[in-house]
Amino acid sequence: MSRVDAHHHVWDLGVREQSWMAGAAMDPIRRNFLIDDLAPLAAAADVTQTVLVQTVGLAAETPEFLEVAASNDLVAGVVGWVDLTADDVEDALAGLLNRPDGQWLKGIRHQVHDEPDVEWLNRADVRRGLAVVAEAGLVYDLLTKAPHLPAAVETVRALPELSFVVDHISKPEIGGDLEPWATGLRDLAAEPNVTCKLSGMVTEASWTDWKVADLKPYADVVLDAFGPDRVMFGSDWPVCLLAASYAEVVGAAEDLTAQLTAAERDQVFGETARRTYHL
């Protein structure tokens, strides 16, 4: 069965700098990464559809990503960005959806984990914006860390009409304590309108000597809490290259799901993403 990579990025540093890419540690990925660079890696892993996810909180990026999706057969959907707190968030979303390539917009994301206020998701203006996302029929990707999970749980419960996707299993520190991350993630999984991406783990582990065994306790929590039909594979390419090649990330995900049935693996590697993002 053909696979879906539910989480990757592209960027052209000639168009704009990636402000999060600070420090010498980021040097390995401080260059352009375009969809043509991903295509052969995806093909080698039997990935035939991908979800292209925003990288910066700038409105100009999303139309660029929609153009990428419209111009090739690999990108099946885009998770973009709008200012959820803006008074004109309805108009911003309508403007994107009414573009000739607006059909490729499947979701919205914001770097919540960079917000100093761990209660950011509980703000009235943010909640209003999220309600608009739901009304537009889009998904919301949750980019959080453990301290943000209580507010995320409250938000998910307050907006049962909105489909939420947890990015990068909420970025636990691989090798650290499972708690309070595990409890927060299980609380999210208890809500039926939440799915989770099995992604971003290698860069939360030791970049130089991680092993699949290091990732397994965290993947096991995710698979147990959500079940395979609410978990989807994502590579987080090219960020993953800080710690692993595309093939190594795919291989790790295969190892972490080896105990599942063939039908369950089909969910993780394709069907959950297709269903959630309406690919």
Side-chain angles (χ1 to χ4, degrees):
M1 176 180 230
S2 64
R3 292 170 165 177
V4 177
D5 179 348
H7 196 107
H8 74 89
H9 310 285
V10 297
W11 55 73
D12 183 341
L13 299 182
V15 174
R16 73 178 56 82
E17 292 295 319
Q18 298 290 313
S19 57
W20 55 271
M21 207 182 292
M26 295 289 141
D27 286 350
I29 58 171
R30 203 184 310 279
R31 63 177 180 85
N32 295 344
F33 288 93
L34 307 179
I35 198 64
D36 288 345
D37 299 314
L38 175 60
L41 307 176
D46 295 324
V47 169
T48 60
Q49 293 178 297
T50 70
V51 178
L52 173 56
V53 180
Q54 65 91 218
T55 65
V56 292
L58 293 172
E61 183 186 66
T62 303
E64 296 164 2
F65 281 6
L66 294 175
E67 291 174 3
V68 171
S71 64
N72 75 91
D73 294 330
L74 183 58
V75 177
V78 169
V79 174
W81 183 89
V82 295
D83 183 356
L84 293 174
T85 68
D87 292 337
D88 65 347
V89 63
E90 293 98 337
D91 294 339
L93 280 178
L96 291 168
L97 290 167
N98 290 331
R99 289 170 51 96
D101 48 17
Q103 71 196 60
W104 305 109
L105 185 65
K106 306 298 183 180
I108 297 296
R109 185 177 86 150
H110 177 77
Q111 275 87 343
V112 176
H113 68 16
D114 289 338
E115 292 291 341
D117 179 9
V118 296
E119 294 287 325
W120 187 84
L121 285 164
N122 283 334
R123 284 172 37 174
D125 54 353
V126 174
R127 288 282 183 85
R128 176 185 172 276
L130 290 172
V132 172
V133 172
E135 289 166 7
L138 299 173
V139 172
Y140 185 74
D141 271 35
L142 280 167
L143 182 58
T144 53
K145 292 185 177 181
H148 306 87
L149 286 176
V153 171
E154 291 181 50
T155 300
V156 164
R157 289 173 177 165
L159 292 162
E161 69 277 16
L162 179 56
S163 178
F164 290 86
V165 180
V166 181
D167 286 353
H168 308 330
I169 69 170
S170 199
K171 298 177 76 73
E173 182 182 346
I174 304 292
D177 292 335
L178 285 173
E179 297 296 346
W181 165 80
T183 294
L185 201 75
R186 289 184 185 281
D187 288 344
L188 277 178
E191 303 306 317
N193 55 325
V194 187
T195 54
C196 186
K197 291 181 184 177
L198 198 65
S199 65
M201 290 184 288
V202 295
T203 47
E204 298 303 318
S206 170
W207 293 0
T208 56
D209 60 359
W210 66 270
K211 303 179 295 297
V212 172
D214 302 329
L215 313 180
K216 191 174 189 307
Y218 302 85
D220 285 351
V221 169
V222 171
L223 289 166
D224 179 65
F226 285 93
D229 63 335
R230 289 198 291 146
V231 174
M232 62 185 88
F233 164 74
S235 67
D236 199 26
W237 181 92
V239 180
C240 68
L241 300 179
L242 294 167
S245 69
Y246 192 88
E248 286 170 334
V249 171
V250 173
E254 290 172 341
D255 289 345
L256 293 168
T257 56
Q259 78 280 13
L260 302 180
T261 67
E264 289 171 335
R265 288 193 297 275
D266 286 345
Q267 293 289 326
V268 174
F269 284 100
E271 292 310 308
T272 301
R274 292 188 180 102
R275 185 175 62 251
T276 301
Y277 286 115
H278 307 292
L279 302 183

